[in-house]
Amino acid sequence: MSGTPPDAAWLNALISLLQGAQLALLRALHALGLVDTVHGQPAWPWARRVSGENLLIDIGQARHLAITLAVLAGVLALLVVALLWRRRRGWVLALVPVALVLAPWPEARVVLVPAHPTSFHAPPAPLSVAAIAQGQALYAQQCVGCHGANGRGQGPLAAQQPVWPPNLAGPLLWRRADGDLLWAVLHGVRDGVGRTTMRGHAGRLTDADAWAVLDYLRAQAAGEMLRASGAWMLPVALPDAAVRCGAQPARALSSWRGQRVRVVAAASPGSDAAAAVQSLREDPRLVTVWLQPSASPSGPAPRALPSVLPAGADCVVDDAQAWSAFALIAGTPRLEGAQFLADRDGWLRARSQPGQAGWSEDDLVCRTETAPRPAAPAAAAPPGTLPADGLGALITLMDAEPVRFVKGGFVH
């Protein structure tokens, strides 16, 4: 994503380092049999962990921590020198306490935050349309009363809670560790004095159910952000689904990881959106997948897959739940004729509106800034030249600005 703050590069590196070090320590302890397994993954054994989320908010403390870690690395180097250089060992060792005193130690309350046994758990499977559909049904049963239909925390039971439910339609789900969110769903949330502010659902939801609810909430939040700001300010993955390509066996949409994917939502014949979709051409730079509406207007029966794909389409999504999942991520029920572009890493990067002819750089909706890109002045094309390749310019921009997502850190 573009529009990155100047602090993003080193802060992403710092958060990645801290996350990787803690995860490596946890895996080593689990391999040695020193920690238990909780909800299918190794359990974090301590009540605190290093927080990337707080470092993102307090840049000053993040700088202090980065400098202190560099000082500690220097101290380690001094100890190695003292071990090898006996003649000057006293002088070298005298520098160690000086360095430790002068280091700008960060505040422990900022760097260290309460942890749960699941704090370093990761989703067991990538985002999929099946998980989104499963999570949507479970959310309607267990969560909508407090959190509301749109996740903004304004359900009919919200006012009866000790603390007003949080807004789940924004960046919260991306800023919190996946494992902490899992713990909140299954075991509830308590405030600083131990009062329960959200009940746990461990007796009503399985681990797989809880992960599915989180997948649905992220898809819903992505659509809410796109509708409110016109951009996915945080990364959204291309949801996996079954895909059929001619007479070949069905394959997963994620099997094209490493290639660009274009998903095209079918449109009613005779509409402006249908005219734009019919103008599709086969493009070797990407795989084009056709997305059919999941049900006919007259009833719930799924529509039959087309025996002959439209011109320019390579495959068709063979999953009745896919249409509603993409509509949720797009933040609109009017999906007919819309198109989506995913990059080689499986992130959704661009979206064209129904009926729109061609692509431009303004269709890049995976970005951190909310203001549209300023339009460059159009230069007169020499006589006889081909029209500008808007899709090519968009692909170039996507390749030049890949998504670099660190959980709890900046994007790109």
Side-chain angles (χ1 to χ4, degrees):
M1 291 191 181
S2 57
T4 309
D7 292 315
W10 70 266
L11 187 54
N12 260 345
L14 175 63
I15 294 175
S16 296
L17 173 64
L18 296 173
Q19 183 78 3
Q22 293 178 97
L23 188 56
L25 174 61
L26 177 59
R27 288 173 176 170
L29 294 174
H30 187 256
L32 295 173
L34 299 178
V35 297
D36 296 328
T37 297
V38 173
H39 297 299
Q41 299 181 43
W44 183 251
W46 295 289
R48 298 273 171 174
R49 65 175 176 87
V50 179
S51 169
E53 304 95 308
N54 285 356
L55 296 178
L56 175 65
I57 297 171
D58 196 331
I59 304 298
Q61 292 296 317
R63 289 196 183 96
H64 288 174
L65 179 59
I67 295 172
T68 299
L69 290 176
V71 170
L72 291 176
V75 166
L76 181 61
L78 288 175
L79 293 176
V80 173
V81 171
L83 181 65
L84 300 176
W85 195 12
R86 296 182 179 181
R87 294 181 57 185
R88 301 292 182 182
R89 178 175 299 172
W91 290 100
V92 174
L93 291 177
L95 295 175
V96 172
V98 175
L100 294 177
V101 170
L102 295 179
W105 294 88
E107 298 181 24
R109 64 178 180 82
V110 175
V111 176
L112 299 176
V113 298
H116 303 107
T118 61
S119 286
F120 288 89
H121 281 31
L127 181 72
S128 69
V129 298
I132 292 172
Q134 178 188 1
Q136 184 173 18
L138 293 168
Y139 180 86
Q141 296 171 4
Q142 304 289 340
C143 314
V144 73
C146 295
H147 292 283
N150 59 8
R152 296 184 179 276
Q154 299 175 353
L157 303 178
Q160 303 175 19
Q161 306 308 309
V163 175
W164 202 271
N167 181 7
L168 301 178
L172 177 66
L173 297 171
W174 282 263
R175 296 303 189 209
R176 298 287 177 83
D178 292 324
D180 287 341
L181 294 172
L182 177 71
W183 186 267
V185 172
L186 292 176
H187 299 280
V189 178
R190 292 175 175 81
D191 60 16
V193 297
R195 179 180 55 168
T196 298
T197 59
M198 188 186 90
R199 66 171 184 169
H201 295 77
R204 291 172 290 274
L205 300 178
T206 66
D207 294 351
D209 290 339
W211 286 117
V213 169
L214 293 173
D215 282 342
Y216 164 71
L217 286 173
R218 288 192 187 91
Q220 182 189 59
E224 291 292 323
M225 285 190 292
L226 186 59
R227 180 161 46 195
S229 65
W232 287 315
M233 295 173 289
L234 293 157
V236 181
L238 175 67
D240 204 6
V243 177
R244 194 186 71 191
C245 306
Q248 300 177 8
R251 59 187 296 180
L253 188 56
S254 60
S255 64
W256 279 294
R257 186 65 54 87
Q259 300 184 56
R260 306 180 193 92
V261 176
R262 173 174 57 184
V263 178
V264 181
S268 301
S271 65
D272 293 339
V277 168
Q278 289 170 0
S279 65
L280 287 176
R281 295 291 182 268
E282 185 177 355
D283 197 313
R285 296 171 294 185
L286 42 80
V287 176
T288 299
V289 179
W290 193 252
L291 179 63
Q292 285 282 105
S294 56
S296 64
S298 59
R303 283 188 186 174
L305 296 175
S307 57
V308 178
L309 289 176
D314 300 298
C315 304
V316 61
V317 176
D318 189 6
D319 196 319
Q321 301 163 326
W323 185 274
S324 58
F326 275 89
L328 186 69
I329 291 173
T332 175
R334 300 179 60 85
L335 195 62
E336 292 191 354
Q339 299 183 42
F340 303 86
L341 285 184
D343 62 19
R344 298 179 186 274
D345 296 321
W347 297 110
L348 287 172
R349 300 300 304 276
R351 178 211 56 176
S352 72
Q353 299 285 2
Q356 175 180 320
W359 293 87
S360 73
E361 294 184 12
D362 290 335
D363 295 321
L364 186 73
V365 291
C366 178
R367 59 179 189 264
T368 51
E369 80 274 8
T370 56
R373 296 170 173 269
T385 59
L386 294 175
D389 182 7
L391 179 59
L394 184 59
I395 289 175
T396 300
L397 186 59
M398 287 167 47
D399 291 346
E401 298 180 353
V403 172
R404 299 184 181 94
F405 178 57
V406 175
K407 188 68 177 180
F410 283 116
V411 177
H412 188 76

